[in-house]
Amino acid sequence: MGIVYVIAGVAACAGLLFGFDTGAISGALLFIRPEFRLSPLQVGVVTSAALAGATAGSIVGGALADRIGRRTVILITGVLFCVGSILSALAASAGWLVLSRLIIGVAIGIASFVAPMYLSEISPPRNRGLIVALNQLAITLGILAAYVVAYAFEPGGRWRWMLGVGVVPALILLVGMLFTPESPRWLARSGRQEQALAVLRRVRPPDQASVELAEILSAAGASEGRLSGLLAPALRMPLVIGVGLAVLQQITGINTVIYYAPIIFQRAGMPGAAASILATMGVGVANVIMTIVALMLLDRAGRRPLLLVGEAGMVASLVLLSVGFASGSQGATATIATVSLVAYVGFFAIGLGPVFWVMISEIYPLSVRGAAMSVATFANWFSNLVVALVFPSLIAGLGPVVAFSGFAVIGVLGFLFSFRVVPETRGRTLEEIERQWGRAT
Ligand code: BGC
């Protein structure tokens, strides 16, 4: 059993890189901008290159994971992360930097869902929520690490180090994954039953391995693995749930806070850059701590209660934030902004943050899991990209009150959506969940 956690620790380095590499650029840009004399448009391109790469990566990753295996794909992303980190640290021009960030982005986009898929397929049902959400914990640790690294290398403006240190977790991922087994479910589906059984024997108590293999095979036998299977009527609902949660996770504004927190704090009248950076770290710490709380509750309370409480709390925090900005008094606004942003990120971390990634690793039938997770992940990165591009103009043009109360309204709709359609998956095997949708393909 313990071995599953070792494997999970290695695979979760993908999450660490996801968080670090999406978080690191904002600090580095402070110095890259003057060095390469970037225009505002170029700043936008450098910032969003990784998100654009991730959007592209999420399209190709699913088919690849279904064809060559989950572990092999994660290994490839390990190589891409290493190459991208080294290239971005050495960048001699803006174009070079954009290309390196695109490479890292592709790796992020693929790893963002192939890692949870791999973790889900290797976990026992009893603690699958915890194990898959370890990836989300790693994302939040990566974001916090990016804030800390930016702070540490800020004196002297050493932006090459800020981006380059990403090579350390990339190497751990690459070397560590060489020693982990392939997903038993992918092996079974590809007709390699003996290898699947051998892996299950490594990660389960002896009597459970063959029982689990039999269950995987009977579920896999019930469906034909074709991409066109995505259009099967039985898959409509799981696709609506995955894409719906994907879009909701982003258009309720999480990354406007993760990527732009210091700007929001300054806009709220916080005195000095140091105070804003400190408050931003507070947000990063709240994100990590509440993700740990979620981890402990996912397999006990279940996915649904956490999602609903999290969404309700996000709406309340956004309303408070809007009221704070509307009040107009600088001192009060800065205090209210700090409290409400910490609360907002905390509620995201117990709900939409982990539950989205856990849910999409559970609700799709094995035969189309890669392709279906690709679709949901694409929706997630694409929405992320759009929000990141639009938010600075939104806040400059319409102001923070409109922006944040807009996110609150979307949050209310998201709550209603989740209440109606999101199922409870706690404690059930992936094959039981699969049967719920009927014959899928
Ligand atoms: C989201 C990211 C976000 C992160 C924050 C993830 O679940 O997909 O977009 O930056 O959580 O912790």
Side-chain angles (χ1 to χ4, degrees), residues 71-163:
R71 172 180 169 269
T72 314
V73 169
I74 298 177
L75 275 169
I76 295 174
T77 67
V79 175
L80 292 177
F81 275 123
C82 285
V83 172
S85 306
I86 294 172
L87 282 180
S88 54
L90 298 176
S93 67
W96 178 338
L97 187 62
V98 168
L99 188 72
S100 330
R101 296 289 299 168
L102 270 173
I103 296 175
I104 291 183
V106 170
I108 298 176
I110 299 175
S112 64
F113 73 101
V114 180
M117 174 173 8
Y118 174 74
L119 291 171
S120 172
E121 291 186 345
I122 208 146
S123 311
R126 209 162 32 90
N127 27 25
R128 190 178 57 238
L130 168 86
I131 293 172
V132 178
L134 279 177
N135 193 60
Q136 174 71 20
L137 177 62
I139 296 175
T140 62
L141 285 171
I143 293 171
L144 187 60
Y147 293 159
V148 174
V149 165
Y151 189 67
F153 288 117
E154 194 266 342
R158 285 172 289 168
W159 65 266
R160 293 179 190 278
W161 283 95
M162 291 183 195
L163 300 180

Side-chain angles (χ1 to χ4, degrees), residues 18 136 139-140 143 249-250 255 287 348 353 357 380 384:
F18 170 163
Q136 174 71 20
I139 296 175
T140 62
I143 293 171
Q249 202 206 33
Q250 296 300 325
N255 287 317
N287 198 9
F348 173 87
W357 295 109
N380 188 262
N384 189 341

Side-chain angles (χ1 to χ4, degrees), residues 60-78 110-111 113-119 121-122 177 180-192 195 199 366-367 369-371 373:
V60 293
L64 217 56
D66 280 344
R67 182 161 299 184
I68 62 175
R70 293 35 169 150
R71 172 180 169 269
T72 314
V73 169
I74 298 177
L75 275 169
I76 295 174
T77 67
I110 299 175
F113 73 101
V114 180
M117 174 173 8
Y118 174 74
L119 291 171
E121 291 186 345
I122 208 146
M177 285 303 290
T180 62
E182 182 49 274
S183 152
R185 286 179 166 76
W186 181 80
L187 287 169
R189 183 187 163 234
S190 324
R192 298 175 216 185
Q195 289 178 41
V199 174
L366 179 59
S367 60
R369 189 167 294 144
M373 284 185 78

